[in-house]
C-alpha cells in the first residue's frame, strides 16, 4: 500500500445510489468524507444499493470500461461488497477486478424493426398470452431444435447463471468457464428438455414460430421488446466490464461459495 | 356382451370431430355406419381428434355427466382410445369410465370483476411483462408463502399432472391419488422452491402483490383472464366427468405406463 | 378436558429415551413427575430423542397398536413434538393420532433364504460394489421396466417421502395421499428416469439381474440384507401405527409446512 | 489430402477389439485389409467395440499419447465413429483430435496405503453398507462443506459429464469448458444439495468421516478402492489423450447434439 507506484488517495470517486433512503444517506456521508467526482470523470464509480441497482450502473458504464465498486445498501447484494465508511480508497485500491463480457441481443419485431440491447445477466424470451411459445433454436447457423414448445427460454452469462437461469433450473456456471447456459422455461416438447451449456463463442438464434398467434417478448436484463419474431444472442467480447471486489471476496469466490450454500 | 341388462346396439352416439381433415372424414364414415344423435340427446359422445379437442368436448359437457369416448385422430392422444371403425358399440359398452373432478377458478381482476371457469387440467398464473410476479399463497385460509417471486405458478389435477405441470418440473400424480399439485414456474424466491402436493380438499388462494406494476394473467385450461389480483382454486366435487377407455387401457394404466416411458 | 368421558390423569405412560445424555436426563425427570409404566403395559409410550430413535420405538411397537408420543431431545425432530415437562397428560390426551401403515419387504438372497422386515419410511436397494445394479421392475405381476441400470432404487411411504426419497429427488407426498413413491437412485438407463407415484395397493417386485457380478443390498429402514436376488414390497394394511401429535401440529400439517420451508 | 506432407497410406494401424463376436470379426477383416502393427508400435490404435472398451484402450495408452480411433461394434457408442471398412486410412488422416486430460485419484485406505489411478470420466465415492456416507469437502485447501451426508459424490471431467454425472443429476459440460463437475448422489444434508461446477484447476479433497462405522469405496472409472478414508482428485494436465473423430462428428459436436436430443 506504500510506495510511489500506488497512490490510492488520488483516486477520483463518484458515488451513486439507488432510491432507497438507506442508500441515499450513505451516498451523502461518503461524498462528504471522500469528496466526489462526476460519474463521467471518475476513476471508479461507487454504487450504493442492491444487485438491481448495480446492474443499472454497469449498464450505463458499458461503453466506458470504468470500474464499478458496489457496496451493499439493498436487499440482495450478491454483486456487492460489504458496506463500510472507513479506509474506502485503500479497499478499492486493493480490490480485485472481475472482467466480464455482456451478451448482445438483436431482436426483430413483427414490424421489422430491429432492437439492440446488451445484457450482463441474461436474454430471456417468454410467451405473452395463454398461447405457448413455439421456437426454433439455431446455433452457429445450424438448426438444433426444430421446434421447442415452452413458456420461454433464456441465454445466461456465467455472471447471470445464479440469477434467472438458476430459477429456471439451469446450472450455476463458474465465472471463467467460457460457456453460455441455454435454459428452457417449462419445456412442453421436447418433454422436459433440460437445455444445454454452449461454448461462449456460440451465436444463438431463436426464430419465433406462428408469432401472430403466439406472441413472445424478449428481455435483455431489463429492456423488453414485445412481439419479437427473431432474436439473436452472442457474446460481445469487445466490451469488458470491470466489477471490483474486496480481496478474498472475489466474484469467483462468491459464485463458488453460493454453490455450497444450498 | 349378451343378456337383457346390456344392449349396446341401442346406445345413441353423437360423433364430434376437430377441424382436422382426418377427424372430419372419420366423423362422416362413423356417422354413416352407426347413425348419429344430436350431442344433447346422445348417451355417449364420441370425440374424434387429439387431446386438445377432447378437452373442448369435456368442457362443453361438464354440466351433463354425459360420458365421452375419444378416438385418436390428432397429434397427441394421451386421453384417446385407438381409432377403429369396427364393433364400436361393443367397445363402448365394454369400456371403463374414469371419473374425474374439475377444479374451479374464481379470478378477480383489477376492476373488481370476478371471472369463473372450470379446468380439467390446471389453473395457471403467469407474469404478463418483464416484471416478475409476486404472489402470496394462502391454503385453507392460512398463509403458507408470504411472497413467491416467480414467472408463475399452477395448480394441477391428477389428470393434468402429465401436462403443463410436468413441463414445469412437477410430479406425475396417480389419477386416484386425491391430491392437487401446486407447482411454481421459475421460482426466484424462495430460490428454486419445488412446490407442494396438497390434499384434494385444499382451497388455494393466490393474492397478486403489486399487481399494477407486475401484471399477471390466470388461465383455466384455455380461458384466460388478464390483470388478475386474486385467484382462488378449489376442486369441484359436484361435477364428475366420465371419460371412457377401452378395457385394459384405462386412464390409470396410461398414467402408470407414462411414468415408465421416460 | 373436563367431563367424565376423558380422564387424562389415569393414562399409564412409559418413558423411553435414546442414548443421548439430554434424552436420558429428560426421561429421569419425567418419570419422577408422572410415574412410569413398563413399555408393555403402557397406554402411551413417550419417546425422547430424535427421529432415528422414534423409528426404533415405532418398530418395536409395530405389533401392539400402542400409540407413541415423541418429544424432541435429538438433532432431527420432524416426527417429534416440542419438549416440555408441564401438563404432559393433558397434552397427550388432546393430541391427534396419525395412523400410518408400514410397508413390508420380502427379500430373497442368493442362498434362497427369505428375509422379512417392515419399513415405516422406505425399502431401498443399492449396489454393493463398483458394478452398477441391473434390476427388473414388476408391478402387480406386470413388468414395467425390463431393465433399470442404476445405483439403486427405493419405495417410500408417504411418511418417508421427506426422508431418503427426497434426497434421491423424489416428491414429497401428503400423508393421506394413498400412494407409494418409487424413486431411482442415479438412473443410468433409462437415462435420468424419474420414477413413479404408484397406488398404495401396488405390489412392487425387483428382480436383480446378473446378481453374481452385480451384488445389491436391500434395506428396510435399518435392516439390511446383502446379496439379494429378488425383493418384494407391499403396504401392510393389517398393521397401523399411531403417532400422537400435539393439536395444531399434526403430521399432515408438518408435511405441508415442510413443503413450504424450502 | 494431396501433397508430400500428408501420406495417409503409411500410417501404421493397430486393431484391437472387445470380446464381442461382432468386434472380433471386424478386427480380423480390417487387419486383413490394412495390415496391422503391434499396439506399441502403431501410429494410431483402432478400437472396435463400445464406449466401455474405448475407455479400456484409452487407459492403457494414457502414458503414450498414441491417438485412438474408435469404431462402433458395441451397444453404446457415444465415443465411437461409425463402423466402415472402406478408405479407413483416409478417414483417420482427416479425423479431428479431441485432446482431453484425465483426472487423477489418490485414495488412502484405512491401513494407510495410498492407491493412485487415473480417470477419464469420473472419480466417484459411494457408501458400502446401509450406513450413509459422511464426507467433508475441501477445495484448494479450504473446507467448503463441513459435512455432506449422502449416498456418495463424484467429480466428473467434461468428457465424463454425459456418463455417471448425468445420471446423478449433474449438468452436461462442454468438452472445452475448463471445469470439473462436483455432483452429489442423494444428498441428505445439506438437503438436496445440487453440487457445483468448479474450475478445472481445483484440487478436491474428500475426507471420510466416521469411516469405521460408515465405510465408503472410491472408484476411478473402473478401479475400485474399498474402505477409503481420504480421496484427492485433481486434473492431470501432464497427460493428454487424443481421441480421433471423423470430420464433422467431433466430440464437441457429439456433446452439443446430445444436449438437444432430449
Amino acid at each position: 500500500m506504500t510506495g510511489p507506484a500506488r497512490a490510492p488517495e488520488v483516486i477520483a470517486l463518484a458515488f451513486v445510489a439507488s432510491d432507497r433512503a438507506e442508500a441515499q444517506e450513505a451516498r451523502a456521508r461518503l461524498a462528504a468524507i471522500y469528496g466526489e467526482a462526476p460519474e463521467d470523470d471518475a476513476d471508479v464509480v461507487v454504487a450504493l444499493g442492491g444487485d438491481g441497482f448495480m446492474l443499472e450502473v454497469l449498464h450505463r458504464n458499458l461503453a466506458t470500461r470504468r470500474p464499478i465498486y458496489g457496496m451493499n445498501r439493498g436487499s440482495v447484494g450478491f454483486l456487492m461488497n460489504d458496506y463500510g465508511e472507513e479506509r474506502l480508497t485503500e479497499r478499492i485500491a486493493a480490490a480485485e477486478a472481475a472482467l466480464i463480457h455482456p451478451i448482445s441481443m438483436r431482436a426483430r419485431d413483427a414490424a421489422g424493426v430491429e432492437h439492440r440491447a446488451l445484457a450482463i445477466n441474461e436474454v430471456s424470451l417468454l410467451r405473452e398470452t395463454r398461447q405457448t411459445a413455439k421456437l426454433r433454436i439455431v446455433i452457429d447457423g445450424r438448426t438444433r431444435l426444430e421446434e421447442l414448445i415452452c413458456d420461454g427460454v433464456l441465454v445466461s452469462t456465467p455472471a447471470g447463471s445464479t440469477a434467472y437461469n438458476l430459477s429456471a433450473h439451469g446450472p450455476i456456471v463458474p465465472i471463467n468457464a467460457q460457456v453460455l447456459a441455454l435454459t428452457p422455461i417449462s419445456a412442453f416438447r421436447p418433454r422436459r428438455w433440460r437445455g444445454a451449456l454452449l461454448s461462449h463463442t456460440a451465436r444463438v438464434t431463436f426464430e419465433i414460430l406462428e408469432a401472430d398467434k403466439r406472441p413472445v417478448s424478449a428481455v435483455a436484463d431489463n429492456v423488453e421488446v414485445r412481439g419479437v419474431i427473431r432474436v439473436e444472442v452472442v457474446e460481445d467480447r469487445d466490451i469488458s466490464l470491470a466489477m471490483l471486489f474486496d480481496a478474498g471476496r472475489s466474484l469467483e469466490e462468491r459464485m463458488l461459495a453460493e454453490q455450497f450454500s444450498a
Side-chain angles (χ1 to χ4, degrees), chain A:
Chain A
M1 211 48 65
T2 61
R6 202 66 174 280
E9 67 276 13
V10 299
I11 294 176
L13 300 178
F15 295 94
V16 297
S18 72
D19 290 342
R20 264 172 104 119
E22 201 184 359
Q24 289 290 334
E25 289 158 17
R27 205 206 72 79
R29 283 197 303 276
L30 290 166
I33 300 172
Y34 294 97
E36 58 178 324
E39 191 165 349
D40 287 348
D41 299 341
D43 296 316
V44 171
V45 177
V46 178
L48 302 158
D51 283 353
F53 182 66
M54 184 70 174
L55 272 185
E56 273 180 44
V57 177
L58 286 166
H59 269 281
R60 69 194 191 211
N61 284 280
L62 273 176
T64 68
R65 303 192 62 115
R66 186 170 291 120
I68 315 294
Y69 180 89
M71 286 203 295
N72 194 2
R73 295 280 87 182
S75 55
V76 183
F78 185 75
L79 299 174
M80 310 309 268
N81 296 288
D82 290 339
Y83 184 74
E85 300 182 2
E86 287 173 33
R87 298 177 56 81
L88 184 57
T89 47
E90 286 83 350
R91 277 175 71 186
I92 290 175
E96 300 169 25
L99 284 177
I100 62 175
H101 303 296
I103 50 180
S104 77
M105 169 180 86
R106 274 172 47 191
R108 191 182 308 153
D109 67 22
V113 180
E114 195 170 281
H115 307 258
R116 288 169 181 252
L118 292 169
I120 294 163
N121 275 348
E122 78 276 317
V123 171
S124 62
L125 281 69
L126 195 74
R127 64 180 170 93
E128 295 182 19
T129 71
R130 74 174 182 86
Q131 298 289 350
T132 52
K134 277 197 191 179
L135 310 171
R136 178 171 298 129
I137 301 181
V138 179
I139 298 178
D140 294 328
R142 182 160 164 190
T143 297
R144 291 292 177 172
L145 260 189
E146 199 57 66
E147 189 177 288
L148 172 67
I149 307 183
C150 58
D151 279 344
V153 68
L154 61 87
V155 176
S156 169
T157 65
S161 67
T162 55
Y164 194 176
N165 169 69
L166 186 61
S167 299
H169 302 261
I172 295 181
V173 178
I175 194 72
N176 52 2
Q178 309 222 320
V179 297
L180 298 174
L182 171 67
T183 302
I185 303 161
S186 315
F188 291 79
R189 203 150 320 139
R191 192 48 92 68
R192 292 178 58 86
W193 178 59
R194 306 174 70 218
L197 286 175
L198 308 175
S199 167
H200 71 119
T201 63
R203 175 175 301 270
V204 184
T205 309
F206 302 104
E207 299 171 10
I208 287 75
L209 307 177
E210 307 173 23
D212 281 355
K213 179 183 169 193
R214 304 171 178 283
V216 167
S217 77
V219 177
D221 280 2
N222 48 17
V223 173
E224 182 175 19
V225 183
R226 298 193 62 95
V228 294
I229 57 169
R230 180 189 168 92
V231 177
E232 201 173 280
V233 182
V234 68
E235 193 184 57
D236 187 339
R237 298 195 73 75
D238 293 337
I239 301 181
S240 292
L241 286 161
M243 271 188 281
L244 300 179
F245 292 96
D246 286 338
R249 296 281 295 132
S250 70
L251 186 54
E252 187 178 353
E253 166 58 27
R254 281 156 196 257
M255 295 188 72
L256 185 56
E258 176 83 0
Q259 298 186 83
F260 288 93
S261 72

